[in-house]
Amino acid sequence: MPTYKYPRPSVTVDIVVFGYDGGAQLKLLLIKRGSEPYKGSWALPGGFVDMDETLETAALRELEEETGVKDLYVEQLYTYGAPDRDPRGRVISVAYFSLVNLQDHPAVAASDATKAEWFPTNELPDLAFDHADIIAAATKRLAAKVRYQPIGFELLPEEFTLGQLQHLYETVLNVEAFNKRNFRTRILRTGILEEVGRQKNVAHRPAVLYRFNETAYKKLAEERDGAVLRRALDFEI
Amino acid sequence: MPTYKYPRPSVTVDIVVFGYDGGAQLKLLLIKRGSEPYKGSWALPGGFVDMDETLETAALRELEEETGVKDLYVEQLYTYGAPDRDPRGRVISVAYFSLVNLQDHPAVAASDATKAEWFPTNELPDLAFDHADIIAAATKRLAAKVRYQPIGFELLPEEFTLGQLQHLYETVLNVEAFNKRNFRTRILRTGILEEVGRQKNVAHRPAVLYRFNETAYKKLAEERDGAVLRRALDFEI
DNA sequence: ACAAAAGTGTTATGCATACACCCATGG
DNA sequence: CCATGGGTGTATGCATAACACTTTTGT
């Protein structure tokens, strides 16, 4: 039993994983808590950070232990440290954020007693701790991220149609259909998509299938970094 | 002496404060460490989080204790948790980020034995811990932030000229002068500036003085949020 | 009169937006 | 032959970017 000169908080990680399956809503991965506090409530996957692992490692480990979902890209979201956010005492939680497509990450095997489930983002249950706040922050981050990064990289399967991509954007931004012509023009103009074939056996004109070209994307990102220097402020907000 | 069932990390905060005084370089507030580890090295202001204060409160408290600088807006930057980042053991640090103008925050009174000093960002000394990484991340955040928020709010004095504002942008983005005509047109078109008078006693045509109009800014921000919904993706990166 | 910085007029270019239309496939 | 979603042509207006120019002050 370790003893310290001064009291110390506990440190946890929580992970917000958004999943997409082509439907009308994004989904969110939650677990049912098997122990107190908030036993029986739904919560974000997560848990205590071990002393010899990085925060990101802890996030990925807890996620796999609790939901079976693994092999994904995560980015740090925000750290929550209100003194009263956990009834067990001072617990500071580093929240992580991830995007996956549900085809590649369907597994929701609960390794211990807890259940794990994908919930449509518009039908979330009551959540333990301040996890509703964390999810709200993640949703905001996603809406911001979509503006400057092609989130389809993570949320869509390897090959997809422009219709699917547009549908994803409409879902994430929560809007009715925006103009098809302009969406296509803009996204194709960037050059980050490459054709890989055509749909088969669909009851309409078969769509061209595309794949993200990561090389082209990185090149575009570099050019844009240079352009910022000339264009400077946008004050888009 | 508190005893826990499992070992716990220590949690600290570090604060990156950028200051501007109209010069060619932004400045950064550092302290000279008065105790081990890294005694005598320069480092970011910061310290251990108390058990009953929020993270932001801890950041503001430590900043004032170590540098005398207070009354500023801070935002959370990133949390650093590599197991070996501190020789004292496992120390997880939540980094904060702030912008101030040096006229209003000149105070660099060292309340305890440590010294505090503003360093030009291109002449930084060697830094303790992973603080160089933290500063690099803060610099990146600033360059990104400048694109969608009017950072002049924090970095410039209450009243300023368009020349000063442009100079600030050139400094932050680290570029040679960009086109004056277009800078003026774009920024005035947003409507977030209001005239408040004219310069006096300058050896050239006196410039109009402006002040940020926070109401107009908020209105602009809202309109922009709406516009995102229609315009959708920009893929600017 | 001159230096120094503020401030303006004007143009081409390209992008965003809107609207109307045609195409290919399975049932 | 029709429902369904895929895909294209094009006119309009507006913001960006570039360049050359005028104005006002103190010394």
Side-chain angles (χ1 to χ4, degrees):
Chain A
M1 302 254 285
T3 299
Y4 302 113
K5 191 166 173 188
Y6 299 103
R8 296 185 178 188
S10 299
V11 177
T12 62
V13 288
D14 289 305
I15 314 106
V16 183
V17 186
F18 288 103
Y20 187 60
D21 61 2
Q25 290 291 319
L26 281 179
K27 292 190 175 174
L28 220 143
L29 184 56
L30 299 176
I31 59 150
K32 192 161 199 167
R33 287 184 58 82
S35 51
E36 294 295 345
Y38 294 102
K39 185 172 178 177
S41 287
W42 291 95
L44 292 170
F48 293 94
V49 175
D50 289 344
M51 289 300 272
D52 56 356
E53 66 184 351
T54 67
L55 299 171
E56 182 174 320
T57 303
L60 293 170
R61 177 182 55 74
E62 289 286 354
L63 181 64
E64 182 171 0
E65 286 176 11
E66 295 186 339
T67 71
V69 174
K70 57 180 176 173
D71 298 327
L72 34 76
Y73 158 84
V74 293
E75 63 182 81
Q76 195 181 296
L77 177 64
Y78 196 79
T79 298
Y80 293 81
D84 60 351
R85 61 178 292 282
D86 190 313
R88 289 168 294 191
R90 187 72 195 269
V91 179
I92 291 168
S93 184
V94 184
Y96 278 79
F97 166 89
S98 185
L99 303 173
V100 302
N101 84 71
L102 283 180
Q103 276 76 56
D104 292 358
H105 300 84
V108 180
S111 62
D112 52 9
T114 63
K115 275 195 300 186
E117 218 173 293
W118 289 101
F119 284 81
T121 49
N122 62 345
E123 296 171 27
L124 296 179
D126 283 341
L127 288 155
F129 307 104
D130 52 1
H131 288 187
D133 294 338
I134 300 178
I135 289 168
T139 304
K140 209 170 152 191
R141 163 83 62 102
L142 177 58
K145 192 181 170 70
V146 80
R147 279 186 55 80
Y148 61 90
Q149 274 184 27
I151 57 167
F153 266 112
E154 282 103 22
L155 288 173
L156 288 175
E158 178 86 14
E159 302 185 352
F160 53 88
T161 69
L162 287 181
Q164 289 172 330
L165 184 62
Q166 177 168 350
H167 185 71
L168 167 62
Y169 275 88
E170 290 161 356
T171 302
V172 169
L173 292 169
N174 196 31
V175 279
E176 292 307 302
F178 38 68
N179 189 286
K180 186 175 47 164
R181 181 63 169 112
N182 303 335
F183 180 88
R184 302 171 75 85
T185 305
R186 287 177 68 169
I187 200 152
L188 289 177
R189 191 167 51 81
T190 65
I192 63 176
L193 298 185
E194 58 182 316
E195 292 191 25
V196 289
R198 303 199 139 262
Q199 279 183 324
K200 297 254 161 59
N201 303 318
V202 285
H204 53 76
R205 177 173 172 175
V208 173
L209 293 168
Y210 291 90
R211 165 166 67 199
F212 279 107
N213 181 331
E214 201 151 353
T215 313
Y217 168 62
K218 280 181 184 148
K219 200 166 140 224
L220 184 70
E222 274 175 36
E223 281 169 21
R224 185 261 191 168
D225 280 350
V228 173
L229 301 184
R230 272 182 286 101
R231 294 186 57 207
L233 78 162
D234 266 346
F235 283 140
E236 288 187 351
I237 195 166
Chain B
M1 302 255 285
T3 297
Y4 303 113
K5 192 165 174 188
Y6 299 103
R8 296 184 177 188
S10 299
V11 176
T12 62
V13 288
D14 289 305
I15 314 107
V16 183
V17 186
F18 288 104
Y20 187 60
D21 61 3
Q25 289 290 320
L26 280 179
K27 293 190 174 173
L28 221 145
L29 184 57
L30 298 177
I31 59 151
K32 192 160 198 168
R33 288 183 58 82
S35 52
E36 295 294 346
Y38 293 102
K39 185 174 178 177
S41 287
W42 291 94
L44 292 171
F48 293 94
V49 175
D50 289 343
M51 289 300 274
D52 56 357
E53 66 183 353
T54 67
L55 299 172
E56 183 174 320
T57 303
L60 292 170
R61 176 182 55 73
E62 289 284 354
L63 181 64
E64 183 172 359
E65 285 176 11
E66 294 185 339
T67 70
V69 174
K70 58 180 175 174
D71 298 327
L72 35 73
Y73 158 83
V74 294
E75 64 182 83
Q76 196 179 295
L77 177 65
Y78 196 79
T79 298
Y80 292 82
D84 60 351
R85 62 177 292 282
D86 191 312
R88 289 169 293 191
R90 188 71 195 270
V91 179
I92 291 168
S93 183
V94 184
Y96 279 78
F97 167 89
S98 185
L99 304 172
V100 301
N101 84 72
L102 284 182
Q103 276 76 55
D104 292 357
H105 299 82
V108 181
S111 62
D112 53 7
T114 63
K115 274 197 298 186
E117 219 174 293
W118 289 100
F119 284 81
T121 48
N122 62 345
E123 295 171 26
L124 296 179
D126 283 343
L127 288 154
F129 306 104
D130 52 2
H131 289 187
D133 294 338
I134 300 179
I135 290 169
T139 304
K140 209 170 153 191
R141 164 83 62 101
L142 178 59
K145 191 181 172 70
V146 81
R147 278 186 56 80
Y148 61 90
Q149 273 184 27
I151 56 167
F153 268 113
E154 284 102 23
L155 287 172
L156 288 175
E158 178 86 13
E159 302 185 351
F160 53 87
T161 68
L162 288 181
Q164 289 171 332
L165 184 62
Q166 179 169 349
H167 185 71
L168 167 63
Y169 275 88
E170 288 162 358
T171 301
V172 169
L173 292 169
N174 196 31
V175 278
E176 293 307 302
F178 38 69
N179 188 285
K180 187 176 44 163
R181 181 64 170 112
N182 302 335
F183 181 87
R184 301 173 73 88
T185 305
R186 287 177 67 169
I187 200 151
L188 289 177
R189 192 170 51 79
T190 64
I192 63 176
L193 298 185
E194 58 181 318
E195 293 191 25
V196 288
R198 301 200 140 261
Q199 278 182 326
K200 296 256 160 58
N201 302 318
V202 286
H204 54 77
R205 176 171 175 176
V208 173
L209 292 169
Y210 292 91
R211 166 167 64 201
F212 279 108
N213 181 330
E214 200 151 354
T215 314
Y217 168 63
K218 279 180 186 148
K219 201 168 141 223
L220 185 70
E222 273 173 37
E223 280 169 19
R224 185 258 191 168
D225 281 350
V228 172
L229 302 183
R230 272 181 286 102
R231 295 185 59 207
L233 78 160
D234 265 345
F235 283 141
E236 287 187 351
I237 195 167

